[in-house]
Amino acid sequence: DGGITQSPKYLFRKEGQNVTLSCEQNLNHDAMYWYRQDPGQGLRLIYYSQIVNDFQKGDIAEGYSVSREKKESFPLTVTSAQKNPTAFYLCASSISLSGNIQYFGAGTRLSVL
Amino acid sequence: KNEVEQSPQNLTAQEGEFITINCSYSVGISALHWLQQHPGGGIVSLFMLSSGKKKHGRLIATINIQEKHSSLHITASHPRDSAVYICAVPYGGATNKLIFGTGTLLAVQP
């Protein structure tokens, strides 16, 4: 079955620690996205990638980093510079960056210890 | 002013009722998305539409580009329809960079 897999489902971060959230897709999509969801707010775009080895900052990129070494994979690192990392993180992909439906993963809930 | 506004924020209905969720936006768009987020957090795309009306099962989405307004209707609602419904519109020229509404929490009671 084609889809997007995010792992882990729950993640805990200690003070000063970097953590990496995994996102893998087998849909052969070029574009991938990372969103953050906070209570009472709409999803906000952290980073997006149009193609392998290319990615762009979204609206709230500070304190995050990404890589796109393979078409299937778009991991997100939450660095120690992100002072308020507790949120629900969603990864998505689409055929391209232009006017297509986005397919979402099940999300990772990150909490700070 | 938020660029995408949804109403109502919360909605409780009895099984079988006809449900309407509204979305208004302030930016010019090429298409609007309706999404469904289940209690576990996963999101499913329901519709992407740029004009008129689309129907899928008991779900109907309409859009009026001139009035910058879209509605999502659910006919013969069922408890399994309970979820958060989110509308989103593209911005910035790149049509897949989306602005999301804050969602409408729907609870359908048996």
Side-chain angles (χ1 to χ4, degrees):
Chain A
D1 287 333
I4 298 181
T5 302
Q6 288 188 242
S7 62
K9 190 167 183 177
Y10 299 96
L11 186 59
F12 297 90
R13 193 190 91 166
K14 294 180 182 178
E15 199 75 32
Q17 186 182 40
N18 293 354
V19 292
T20 297
L21 285 60
S22 171
C23 178
E24 304 278 332
Q25 54 100 355
N26 60 3
L27 299 167
N28 200 32
H29 286 171
D30 282 325
M32 296 187 75
Y33 315 80
W34 273 107
Y35 296 98
R36 171 179 171 138
Q37 188 177 37
D38 294 281
Q41 296 191 41
L43 277 70
R44 291 181 291 167
L45 183 64
I46 304 172
Y47 268 99
Y48 64 101
S49 168
Q50 191 168 353
I51 200 165
V52 174
N53 293 322
D54 176 75
F55 49 83
Q56 305 294 330
K57 292 182 179 180
D59 299 318
I60 54 166
E62 186 174 348
Y64 301 97
S65 66
V66 293
S67 62
R68 187 88 187 275
E69 296 175 2
K70 298 187 299 181
K71 187 175 186 177
E72 303 79 20
S73 180
F74 191 41
L76 173 75
T77 296
V78 184
T79 74
S80 57
Q82 173 49 249
K83 297 305 178 188
N84 185 22
T86 297
F88 189 58
Y89 291 87
L90 285 152
C91 176
S93 73
S94 61
I95 293 173
S96 72
L97 202 59
S98 300
N100 307 118
I101 287 175
Q102 294 187 27
Y103 295 82
F104 287 81
T108 293
R109 192 164 299 279
L110 175 62
S111 302
V112 176
L113 289 176
Chain B
K1 182 181 185 299
N2 291 333
E3 291 172 293
V4 179
E5 292 192 348
Q6 291 186 233
S7 63
Q9 286 189 314
N10 296 281
L11 180 57
T12 299
Q14 295 298 313
E15 184 172 356
E17 286 186 8
F18 180 83
I19 289 163
T20 297
I21 298 170
N22 297 298
C23 177
S24 296
Y25 53 92
S26 57
V27 297
I29 66 168
S30 55
L32 180 142
H33 300 250
W34 279 104
L35 310 161
Q36 180 191 53
Q37 185 169 29
H38 293 282
I43 290 179
V44 174
S45 287
L46 298 174
F47 297 102
M48 185 176 75
L49 70 166
S50 55
S51 64
K53 180 167 79 172
K54 284 191 174 181
K55 185 175 189 291
H56 185 250
R58 295 180 294 104
L59 300 177
I60 303 167
T62 63
I63 189 168
N64 185 318
I65 294 290
Q66 287 74 28
E67 294 186 3
K68 296 185 176 178
H69 180 270
S70 176
S71 293
L72 177 68
H73 305 285
I74 305 175
T75 62
S77 60
H78 189 275
R80 65 176 174 264
D81 297 325
S82 299
V84 176
Y85 293 85
I86 301 168
C87 73
V89 301
Y91 73 104
T95 56
N96 258 17
K97 289 178 64 179
L98 300 176
I99 306 171
F100 292 82
T102 55
T104 293
L105 176 59
L106 171 65
V108 181
Q109 297 178 342

